[in-house]
Each structure stands twice: as structure tokens, then as C-alpha cells.
Amino acid sequence: MASLIITIDGPAASGKSTVARLLAEKLAATFLDTGAMYRAVTLAAIQAGVDLSDEEKLLDVLDNRNFQFAGKKSKMTVCIDGVDVTELIREPKVTANARHIASAARLRAKLVQMQRQFAAGEEKLVTEGRDQGTVAFSNADIKFFLTAETGERAKRRQAELQAKGISESLEQIQRAIEERDKSDQSRAVGPLKPANDAIVVDTTNLSIEQVVEKLFGYVEENA
Ligand code: DC
């Protein structure tokens, strides 16, 4: 088991992926992006043409395809059957459909198991998602929960998309974020919520660097 586990949970576009990656870099820890796991299963299920609301079929996809999550250093690479899908899993179609996979209870249990196995092989881990502090690593050394106002998150997501040459209106992005929040918060298993012992950080008026410094300072004092 890792000697240091730090969890970072939070809603879509709260900046947690970038923050977790940079914090992992500063701590010489491994970074685990658990959203990428849900995205990879979503992509594989779409590719297989299965009904995304059929949990048995989704479990078959997880069991029969070979998923690899290599999180060395700050970059995490995702492969399905040896094919690098790190970029493909970020496609809007995958983002929009991941909620089906995220609400399948038995599938979540298997992914949580995979996350714990991943942690067992690492010395220090910074892991981010929705349920890392509440379910996957309820005994984590330090738990953070990042929030930001919806409008600010929409702006951040728009800038990210623009950098990739994708243009979408702010209203459209904000609506999609609100829908994802609703689905993340209302699912019966592993819903998005801060752990009782999580440190909640509102990043609305903070730059990525400021958030990383804040978290790093806390880790230095408390780990
Ligand atoms: O963080 P993200 O946008 O890459 O997450 C993709 C999807 O996976 C999103 O629908 C939320 C879900 N997810 C989850 O349910 N639990 C996690 N630990 C991580 C992500």
C-alpha cells in the first residue's frame, strides 16, 4: 500500500485534474485520473455498440477488453487492447455518455478495486475523481474537495476546448456542466460529495498555481 495517499474530488471542470497532476509532480508522487477509467469503459462500450444502460453488457466489456492505466509521473496513458486511447476518451461523445457507466453499481465496485490495486503498487499517490475520499480511499492521509462556481467552470472548460480548436457557446457548456453535476450528485452509488474529513477549497477566484500552492502547503504541514 502507498505510504501517502492524497485524494482530490470535485465536480466537472473544477480544475482538479490539472491540480492533481501538478501536485503529484511537486510531491514526486504518481497521479491517478479515475475519470479516465470511466471514460475508457465508456469508449469501449460505444465501440462495441452495447446498450449503455445494460450493466451486464458493460461488465462484459470491462472483463473482455484489456484496459491499461499507466500513471507514471504526471501523465496518465490509457490503452484498450494495446491501443493508446488517451486522447480519444476526451471526445465530447464519451464525456456525454460516461454518466451511464458512472451509475452502474457493480462496475463502479470493480473500478474502485482496480484503483486500490493501482495504489498498492505506488509509493505516493495523488488520485482524483468523485468518490476517492468517500469510497475508494476513505482512509486517505489527506483529502481535498475542489469546488468553483458553475459560470467559472464553464469559462475554464470553454478555454480548454478553444485550445483544442473546438468552439462551443458558454451557455451550452454551462448547461452540460449543470447536467453532469446533477447526475454526479444524485447517483445512488459513489455520488459526488465531500468526505466528512475533506478540506474544501473554493477555486473560483484562484489560479491553478495558487490552488496547487495552497494544497502543497497543506500537505507539507500535515503529511
Ligand atoms: O472527471 P471526468 O470528467 O474525466 O469524469 C468522467 C466521468 O466519470 C464523469 O461522468 C464522472 C465519472 N467519474 C465517477 O463517477 N467517479 C470517479 N471517481 C471519476 C469519474
Side-chain angles (χ1 to χ4, degrees), residues 78-112:
V78 181
C79 290
I80 305 176
D81 294 337
V83 178
D84 189 332
V85 294
T86 312
E87 296 302 322
L88 259 190
I89 60 168
R90 304 283 153 202
E91 299 252 308
K93 191 172 174 192
V94 175
T95 308
N97 283 295
R99 67 192 163 84
H100 296 289
I101 281 67
S103 53
R106 281 183 294 154
L107 196 122
R108 284 198 81 87
K110 285 198 173 205
L111 291 184
V112 165

Side-chain angles (χ1 to χ4, degrees), residues 34-74:
T34 61
M37 301 172 96
Y38 289 87
R39 287 171 177 274
V41 180
T42 308
L43 176 66
I46 293 172
Q47 285 173 342
V50 305
D51 174 357
L52 298 181
S53 62
D54 185 336
E55 187 165 17
E56 287 303 327
K57 295 262 166 49
L58 296 178
L59 286 165
D60 280 349
V61 168
L62 183 60
D63 288 342
N64 296 319
R65 307 280 303 267
N66 179 25
F67 293 89
Q68 276 184 312
F69 305 97
K72 283 295 165 212
K73 297 274 181 318
S74 57

Side-chain angles (χ1 to χ4, degrees), residues 168-186:
E168 258 188 59
S169 76
L170 208 53
E171 292 71 33
Q172 214 177 340
I173 297 172
Q174 182 154 337
R175 220 174 310 121
I177 286 180
E178 281 163 357
E179 272 170 29
R180 291 182 69 199
D181 282 357
K182 203 164 140 209
S183 146
D184 271 338
Q185 288 159 354
S186 64

